Every structure is written in C-alpha cells, then in structure tokens.
Amino acid sequence: MANPVNPPRGMRDFLPADKSRREHALSVIRGVYRSHGFDEIETPVVEDYARLHAGLGGDNEKLSFSILKRGITPEALAAAAEQGDVETLADLGLRFDLTVPLTRYYATHRAELPPVFRAIQIAPVWRAERPQKGRYRQFVQADIDIIGEPGLLAEVELVTATSQALAELGLAGCVIRVNDRRILFGLLAHCGFAPETHDRALITVDKLDKIGVSGVVEELRGIDADAAERMGEVLQGVEPALAGEGIPLTRDAIAAALPAGAAEDGVANLAALGEALAGALPAGVELRFDPTLVRGMGYYTGTIFEVAHPGSGSSVGGGGRYDGMVGRFLGQDVPAVGFSIGFERVVDLITLPEQEGPEAIALVHDAEVPFAELVALKRELVGRGHRVRLEKRQKNMKTLLARVAAEGFTRFANVRPGIAGADELELRELAG
C-alpha cells in the first residue's frame, strides 16, 4: 500500500469544518479589535536576515527559517555550513513573529501614521520548532499593538480589547496574569543577584511551573547560592496564593506579596492598572498579579501579560511593553506595547455557534437534469442570499444527507427535470 502523503512536519492541512472554525474565530477577534479602534495592516512574510537576527526576537531568532540567496551552489552551501557562516548564504528569512515586522513597518511609514498608532496584525508566522502537540512550524498570530503612547492608557486599551475578544469567543474562565519587568529586576536585586546575572536568573525563574521552587533554587545556586536561597523564600511565600485564587491586582495585595521596598515603580504601575480596569472586564475574565511571570522575550521593558485558561496546559495569549524596539530602527525611543492571542490554542477550545444569516441549501439533483436548469436554480437561490451546493443523487442518500448536514447545510431539495424556478422546490430540513 502506498504511504500517505502528508504535509511537512509541523505544518497542517485543514478540512472544511476546521477551516470554518478558524474563520469564525478570526472574524470574532478581528471584529472586536476593529470596534476598539485598531486598524489592520499587512507586512511581507519575509524580512531581511540581518533585521530578523538583530537581537530583537530573543530566543525565537534561533528558530527562524532563512532563505538562501539566489545562485548558492551545493558546494558553497556545504562550505558555509561547515564554517557556521549562515550570513554568506542567506539575505532573507521568514518572519518568526509579527512584532519585529511591525517595528520595521512603523519606522518605514511613521510620517504617514497617526501620533498614536493602534495596529491589528493577524497572519501566519514560521518557526523551526520541534513539532509536538500545541507547537507547529507554521501558525497564526493575532496581535494588537499601540505605538506612541507612553502612559498606562495603552495597557488599559489592550487588556480591555483582548478580554472582550476572549469573552466573545466563549472562553469563560480566562485569567490574565500581570507583572512588570521592573518588579522582576527589583526582586533579583533585593535577593542579591548582581545586575549582570539578571537575564540568566530570569531564564531560570521562568521555569517555575515546570521544575517547582526547589528546582529553581537549585539552578539559581549556580549563579549565587545566597541569593538563590533568598529567592526561594520569596517564591515559597507567593506559591500558595498563586495555586489558589491568585493575587488581586490591588496596591495592598501586590505589596503584601513582595519584600518591603522592592520595585516601587513597578508596584505603582500595576496598582494603577488594576484600579483603571476594576469592573471593566467582561464576565468570565479575571485579572491577577503574578510576581513570578517572566515572559521569555528580553525586549520587554515594563508591564507584561499572559492569559491562562483551564482548558489549556499552556498560555493562550500574552504580551507586554517593549519601549526599546522601535528606537533600534529610528535612533530615538518610541513607546510601544502589544498583546497577542495564541490563536492556535484558542481555536481548539471554542465551539462554533449555531449558524446564523443566509440559509445553506443542498440541491440534490438527478443526473438527467439539464445543466442550464441547475445553474438557473442555483443563481436564483444565491441571489436571495443563500449558500447553495449542487449534489448529484446517490444510491445511499442517508450518507449524502448526513455529510452535507455535517458541513453546515440546513435544508435540501430534490431536483428533477422540468422545475421552472426556486419557488417550486420542496425544501426539507436536514438533521443536525
């Protein structure tokens, strides 16, 4: 028997029902974001190799797909690979996220954009992941970003828009975990970690959900044993609250979860965010402070977010403030903050609503019905706003009708020669 023909590892085909689910989710997300005043943009799927490897993408840069320059010979490829000199081979690469392209886009078009630019990007990205459940080499990201607003209003707008999108997708039980990078660095300094070790230490703290407090402390001992013990005490102090109802985003609750005097700027920022969002989120979405939230991207400079849902073992969204990225292209600082819904994880959690709008009708016709009559019937029904499909009659009608019902058709009609118009059709309900 021939081997099945599959798509490349880490990439997927989508059957009609799956595609319908995805398009429904995209429509909801896009509609909510537009209603909140964001404008959709589009960028190329490729960017310059140097830009994709400029240190803006964190660890994702290591997972980027590079595109060979034209005319590279097998001999040149082998020689460059042996020397590890990729830049002599590639001048372009597939985008691994939508943030790096956005910063380039803003730098290119800044003169044509408003002072505060609210962007929607919903598009596929590519990473050379090791394929596994929930991790793919091609996947869709759904991002909103605000560039040019330095104040807390940007974070407020992002959280309210994202929370409404999650609610309208039907994802009850979402928790938006919030932290501030300044709090993280303040905690590290309080525990005694030297500034030059902070990035290494945060990589370890970010593993807390996988290796637990004891595992984090053990790894941190390799950086500074005394500081590791003090960090362990902090983590043990907040662990019960994080495992329970979480820590409310209020000044008193945030201060109680942290050592006295740690990262006052970050505490004030999050307390103000919690106050601004009090009572503003839809039912089914909660806001919580998590002092252990790191987010892997090194470009975050302030507030960071991550969305948890009980139906997913991984986050279903995240983002944060990245004030330094745009300035890398413009030579001057430009404030920026973004929030991304993890589309591939979200789409697996939602259920499609009952079909609304135009009715979907299957015209089951005999083989001898003239094509002109079929076309005329279909044109008339489509003109009335219906979705119409022609299906040739089969011996096993039960199987045919079950299939078209599963594909979203709600009624059917038998078509025989001589039907003069759609009003003569006897439309019957299809069992769902």
Side-chain angles (χ1 to χ4, degrees):
M1 187 175 84
N3 291 327
V5 179
N6 295 320
R9 290 185 66 237
M11 300 182 182
R12 298 165 293 164
D13 296 323
F14 296 105
L15 293 172
D18 298 322
K19 182 64 174 174
S20 179
R21 179 190 305 276
R22 293 172 70 83
E23 290 302 319
H24 165 72
L26 289 171
S27 176
V28 170
I29 294 168
R30 183 176 279 113
V32 170
Y33 286 169
R34 286 190 59 81
S35 73
H36 279 259
F38 290 81
D39 293 315
E40 190 161 7
I41 66 169
E42 184 173 335
T43 59
V45 302
V46 299
E47 294 283 349
D48 288 339
Y49 178 93
R51 183 172 298 117
L52 292 172
H53 295 81
L56 301 178
D59 288 343
N60 287 332
E61 293 187 7
K62 303 173 185 175
L63 300 175
S64 65
F65 284 100
S66 298
I67 300 174
L68 292 179
K69 296 177 182 177
R70 294 179 62 186
I72 295 293
T73 64
E75 294 77 17
L77 178 62
E82 184 177 343
Q83 299 172 12
D85 188 8
V86 179
E87 288 191 64
T88 64
L89 299 175
D91 54 358
L92 299 171
L94 291 173
R95 62 189 177 203
F96 50 73
D97 72 2
L98 298 176
T99 306
V100 173
L102 173 64
T103 58
R104 194 273 310 153
Y105 175 96
Y106 182 80
T108 301
H109 300 284
R110 185 182 186 186
E112 307 159 68
L113 298 173
V116 177
F117 179 48
R118 295 167 174 84
I120 304 170
Q121 288 189 98
I122 301 177
V125 299
W126 293 264
R127 295 179 191 170
E129 297 272 12
R130 178 176 289 118
Q132 56 186 290
K133 182 177 175 57
R135 287 190 179 273
Y136 307 103
R137 290 180 172 177
Q138 176 179 318
F139 55 97
V140 170
Q141 287 190 333
D143 291 11
I144 46 174
D145 294 80
I146 298 179
I147 300 178
E149 171 53 63
L152 199 63
L153 179 61
E155 281 91 330
V156 171
E157 287 199 76
L158 290 174
V159 172
T160 52
T162 302
S163 62
Q164 184 182 339
L166 294 170
E168 294 199 13
L169 286 168
L171 292 180
C174 285
V175 175
I176 301 178
R177 301 159 57 212
V178 187
N179 199 5
D180 193 298
R181 296 285 282 199
R182 291 168 293 184
I183 288 177
L184 288 167
F185 291 127
L187 276 177
L188 293 173
H190 173 83
C191 292
F193 289 98
E196 63 271 16
T197 69
H198 285 184
D199 288 341
R200 287 175 56 205
L202 285 184
I203 291 172
T204 298
V205 174
D206 200 24
K207 301 176 184 177
L208 179 64
D209 60 335
K210 297 181 178 67
I211 62 177
V213 174
S214 60
V216 169
V217 172
E218 186 61 33
E219 280 199 23
L220 290 176
R221 285 197 182 102
I223 300 174
D224 185 316
D226 293 336
E229 294 300 326
R230 288 191 285 271
M231 179 59 78
E233 294 171 4
V234 172
L235 296 178
Q236 286 173 345
V238 299
E239 193 175 33
L242 297 179
E245 294 297 317
I247 302 170
L249 202 64
T250 64
R251 181 179 290 275
D252 289 345
I254 295 170
L258 299 171
E264 282 298 325
D265 287 347
V267 172
N269 180 66
L270 291 191
L273 180 62
E275 183 177 343
L277 292 170
L281 302 188
V285 181
E286 296 183 353
L287 203 62
R288 291 290 183 266
F289 170 57
D290 184 349
T292 70
L293 177 64
V294 174
R295 298 288 298 168
M297 298 304 223
Y299 54 63
Y300 289 130
T301 57
T303 315
I304 49 178
F305 325 98
E306 196 160 276
V307 184
H309 185 272
S312 176
S314 304
S315 67
V316 297
R321 183 165 282 280
Y322 53 97
D323 287 344
M325 281 187 71
V326 181
R328 293 280 292 272
F329 296 115
L330 289 177
Q332 63 183 90
D333 288 340
V334 178
V337 58
F339 209 144
S340 177
I341 287 178
F343 179 76
E344 304 298 346
R345 291 170 180 167
V346 162
V347 77
D348 288 338
L349 298 173
I350 68 170
T351 55
L352 287 175
E354 292 296 322
Q355 182 167 335
E356 299 177 359
E359 192 170 30
I361 300 172
L363 298 180
V364 182
H365 62 91
D366 294 335
E368 61 268 23
V369 178
F371 294 157
E373 292 183 13
L374 292 174
V375 170
L377 286 171
K378 184 175 183 180
R379 183 174 65 246
E380 186 177 352
L381 289 170
V382 169
R384 296 179 184 182
H386 299 300
R387 180 184 181 215
V388 184
R389 179 183 292 172
L390 299 175
E391 290 281 355
K392 187 178 292 186
R393 185 180 305 280
Q394 299 176 0
K395 288 184 179 180
N396 190 340
M397 283 295 293
K398 185 176 180 180
T399 299
L400 184 153
L401 296 179
R403 173 174 58 78
V404 295
E407 293 168 353
F409 288 83
T410 54
R411 294 209 283 178
F412 77 101
N414 289 307
V415 181
R416 293 183 171 85
I419 292 181
D423 290 337
E424 295 185 14
L425 293 171
E426 181 184 351
L427 295 175
R428 303 179 186 181
E429 299 293 327
L430 278 165

